[in-house]
C-alpha cells in the first residue's frame, strides 16, 4: 500500500444491515493500518456505503459523490469507493457516470475489501458485483457502540415483493452457521457488550439454506433454535432480532421469546399495507387478518410486548379506501413505532413498470396523514410507561443535555435520565418513568440493577 493512503472515511446510508457492513469494512481498513477520520475532506480513502431502497436515498449518494469526484481532480491520490446496494444495482454503469471512481463493490463483497483495495493500489479500476458465497466474518468490526452490537445471521432475501430492490442487490439467502454466530457473540460478551441485535432482511428465514432436517420434518436450524443456542452467551444480557416477515413468523418463535429471559419483548414485523388486495399486488404472501392474528398471539403470550413495523403508502393502484384500511390497521394495533414511506418505483422491480402509479401529491398527502396517526398512537402507547419502573440499558449521554444519559428499555423505548455516563455506560439501570412522549421517555434512576439480573416486566 502506498504511504499516501493513510486515512479513511466511511459514510453509511440506509438500514442496519448497511451499518453492520460498514463496521466490518472499517475493521478491515483498521487492520490494514489505516486511520479512521470523521471528516471526508481529511481522508485519502472515501467509502460511500449506499442504499437504493428509495430513489431519494440513491440521489443523495450521487450528490455526495459529485463533491468528492471534483476534489479528486485536485487530489489525484484520493481513492473513491462506492459499496452497497447502489454499487450492486449500477455496477459498471457507475464508472461511466463517475469515472473518478476507483472501486465499485456490491454488499456481498464487503468482507473482501482488503483484496479489492490491493487491486486498486496496483493501478486497477475495480468492479466487484458478481454473486459470491459470502466469506465468513473473520475481521473484527470497528463498532460504533461499545454497548450494543449488530450480528448478521442471514444475508440476502429470497422473497419477491414487487416493490423491493433488496433481492436484486443483496442476492439470495445465505445463513451463517449457529457456531459462527455464537462465537461472534462470545467475543462481544468478552469485550463488554451487553446487547446484541441479530440481523437479517427476512430473519425468520434463518437456516432454511443450511443442511439438516429434524425428526418432525422441520429445518434443523431455525431462528427459534438459534435463540436457544446463543441465549446463555456470558455477558450478553439482551438479545433482539430484526426484521421479521409475517409470512414466516411462528408460534414456536413467540413461545421462545416468552421463555428466554434475555430475548427482548420487542418485535419488528412490517405489514406494509392494511389492505388485502394491495398485499396481494405486493406479493407479500399474507393477509391483514393473518397479521392481526400474529400480533394477538404475541400479546397473548406477552401482553406488554412492543410492536413496530414498516408501511408503504401510495403503492401503484392504491385507492383512498385501501389506504384507509392501512389507517384502520394502525388504529387497531397501536404500534409503538412505525417506519413509513411513500412508494418509490425502483429499477428492476415489477411494480415500477405498472401503469397505475399514483401522483407524488397523493403519496405525500397519505404519508402525512399516516404519520399524524402514528404519532398519536405512539404517544398513547408511551403512556403505559408512566409511573412504571423500567430497566434501561445505558448507551450514551444525551447529546442535547450532557447532564443526562440515554438508553433503551427492554421494549426499545429511548429513555433519558440524569446520570454520569462514565459510571453508567453499559449498565442496566432501574428507572422510574416520569414523562412519556410519542417516541421517548424521561425518568429518574432508582438504583443500579446488577448486570445479569435483567428480568422481563
Ligand atoms: N425485509 C423487510 C420486510 O419484508 O418487511 C424489509 C426490508 S426493506 C430494506 C425496509 C423497508 O423499506 C420495507 O419494509 C419497506 O417498507 C421499505 N421499502 C422497500 N422498498 C420500497 C419502495 N420501493 N418504496 C418505498 N418503501 C420501500
Ligand atoms: Fe424486500 Fe420483501 Fe425481501 Fe423484505 S422480504 S427485503 S421487502 S423482498
Amino acid at each position: 500500500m502506498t504511504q499516501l493512503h493513510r486515512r479513511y472515511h466511511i459514510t453509511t446510508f440506509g438500514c442496519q444491515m448497511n451499518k453492520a457492513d460498514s463496521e466490518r469494512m472499517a475493521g478491515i481498513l483498521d487492520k490494514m493500518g489505516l486511520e479512521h477520520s470523521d471528516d471526508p475532506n481529511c481522508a485519502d480513502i472515501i467509502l460511500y456505503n449506499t442504499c437504493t431502497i428509495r430513489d431519494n436515498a440513491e440521489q443523495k449518494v450521487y450528490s455526495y459523490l459529485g463533491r468528492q469526484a471534483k476534489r479528486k481532480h485536485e487530489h489525484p491520490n484520493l481513492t473513491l469507493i462506492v459499496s452497497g446496494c447502489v454499487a450492486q444495482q449500477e455496477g459498471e454503469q457507475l464508472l461511466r457516470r463517475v469515472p473518478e471512481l476507483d472501486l465499485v463493490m456490491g454488499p456481498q463483497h464487503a468482507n473482501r475489501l482488503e483484496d479489492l483495495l490491493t487491486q486498486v493500489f496496483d493501478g486497477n479500476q475495480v468492479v466487484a458485483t458478481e454473486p459470491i458465497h459470502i466469506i465468513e466474518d473473520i475481521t473484527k468490526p470497528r463498532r460504533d457502540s461499545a454497548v450494543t452490537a449488530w450480528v448478521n445471521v442471514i444475508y440476502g432475501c429470497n422473497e419477491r415483493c414487487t416493490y423491493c430492490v433488496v433481492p436484486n442487490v443483496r442476492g439470495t439467502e445465505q445463513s451463517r452457521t449457529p457456531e459462527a454466530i455464537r462465537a461472534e457473540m462470545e467475543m462481544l460478551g468478552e469485550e463488554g457488550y451487553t446487547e446484541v441485535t441479530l440481523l437479517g432482511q427476512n430473519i425468520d428465514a434463518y437456516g432454511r439454506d443450511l443442511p439438516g432436517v429434524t425428526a418432525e420434518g422441520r429445518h434443523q436450524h431455525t431462528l427459534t433454535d438459534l435463540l436457544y443456542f446463543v441465549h446463555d452467551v456470558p455477558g450478553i444480557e439482551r438479545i433482539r432480532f430484526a426484521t421479521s416477515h409475517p409470512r414466516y413468523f411462528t408460534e414456536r418463535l413467540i413461545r421462545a421469546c416468552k421463555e428466554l429471559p434475555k430475548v427482548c419483548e420487542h418485535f419488528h414485523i412490517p405489514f406494509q399495507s392494511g389492505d388485502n388486495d394491495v398485499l396481494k399486488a405486493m406479493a407479500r404472501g399474507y393477509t391483514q387478518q393473518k397479521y392481526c392474528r400474529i400480533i394477538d398471539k404475541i400479546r397473548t403470550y406477552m401482553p406488554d410486548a412492543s410492536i413496530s413495523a414498516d408501511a408503504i403508502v401510495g403503492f401503484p393502484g392504491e385507492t383512498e379506501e385501501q389506504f384507509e384500511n392501512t389507517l384502520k390497521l394502525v388504529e387497531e394495533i397501536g404500534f409503538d413505532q412505525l417506519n413509513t414511506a411513500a412508494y418509490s418505483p425502483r429499477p428492476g422491480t415489477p411494480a415500477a413498470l405498472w401503469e397505475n402509479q399514483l401522483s407524488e401529491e397523493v403519496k405525500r398527502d397519505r404519508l402525512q396523514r399516516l404519520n399524524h396517526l402514528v404519532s398519536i398512537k405512539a404517544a398513547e402507547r408511551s403512556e403505559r410507561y408512566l409511573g412504571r419502573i423500567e430497566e434501561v440499558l445505558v448507551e450514551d449521554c444525551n447529546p442535547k443535555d450532557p447532564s443526562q444519559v440515554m438508553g433503551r428499555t427492554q421494549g426499545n423505548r429511548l429513555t433519558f435520565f440524569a446520570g454520569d455516563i462514565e459510571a453508567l455506560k453499559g449498565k442496566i439501570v432501574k428507572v422510574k418513568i416520569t414523562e412519556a412522549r410519542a417516541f421517548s421517555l424521561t425518568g429518574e434512576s432508582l438504583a443500579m440493577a446488577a448486570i445479569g439480573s435483567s428480568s422481563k416486566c
Side-chain angles (χ1 to χ4, degrees), residues 53-54 163 201 243 270 272 284 310 312 341-344 346:
I53 202 84
R54 287 182 285 275
Y163 53 82
Q201 292 293 351
T243 298
Q272 311 301 359
R284 289 288 290 177
D310 302 345
I312 298 175
Y343 168 71
S344 169
R346 305 312 296 132

Side-chain angles (χ1 to χ4, degrees), residues 1-130:
M1 191 202 323
T2 127
Q3 277 305 300
L4 292 164
H5 293 101
R6 286 183 313 244
R7 274 170 299 180
Y8 72 88
H9 170 85
I10 300 182
T11 298
T12 309
F13 302 85
C15 64
Q16 297 162 332
M17 214 73 168
N18 265 14
K19 288 181 190 148
D21 287 349
S22 287
E23 290 184 346
R24 288 205 316 283
M25 290 192 283
I28 293 172
L29 295 170
D30 286 346
K31 196 177 114 230
M32 290 171 74
L34 294 154
E35 206 184 299
H36 173 263
S37 165
D38 281 332
D39 182 354
N41 295 320
C42 295
D44 317 290
I45 298 179
I46 294 181
L47 189 156
Y48 290 125
N49 192 15
T50 60
C51 170
T52 180
I53 202 84
R54 287 182 285 275
D55 188 55
N56 51 7
E58 189 175 331
Q59 295 315 320
K60 221 194 250 178
V61 173
Y62 286 118
S63 109
Y64 279 48
L65 202 51
R67 261 175 264 151
Q68 292 304 331
K70 265 196 206 137
R71 195 174 144 234
K72 187 160 176 163
H73 292 273
E74 287 140 41
H75 303 275
N77 288 315
L78 182 65
T79 300
L80 280 183
I81 307 170
V82 174
S83 65
C85 299
V86 174
Q88 185 66 38
Q89 182 179 273
E90 299 301 314
E92 300 250 346
Q93 282 192 51
L94 206 50
L95 291 186
R96 270 175 234 126
R97 184 162 174 175
V98 188
E100 292 84 355
L101 271 171
D102 297 285
L103 171 58
V104 175
M105 51 186 284
Q108 295 189 338
H109 293 261
N111 296 357
R112 292 188 58 220
L113 180 59
E114 180 167 8
D115 167 35
L116 297 170
L117 260 184
T118 307
Q119 296 175 40
V120 169
F121 295 152
D122 284 344
N124 301 301
Q125 206 176 23
V126 181
V127 176
T129 50
E130 69 284 5

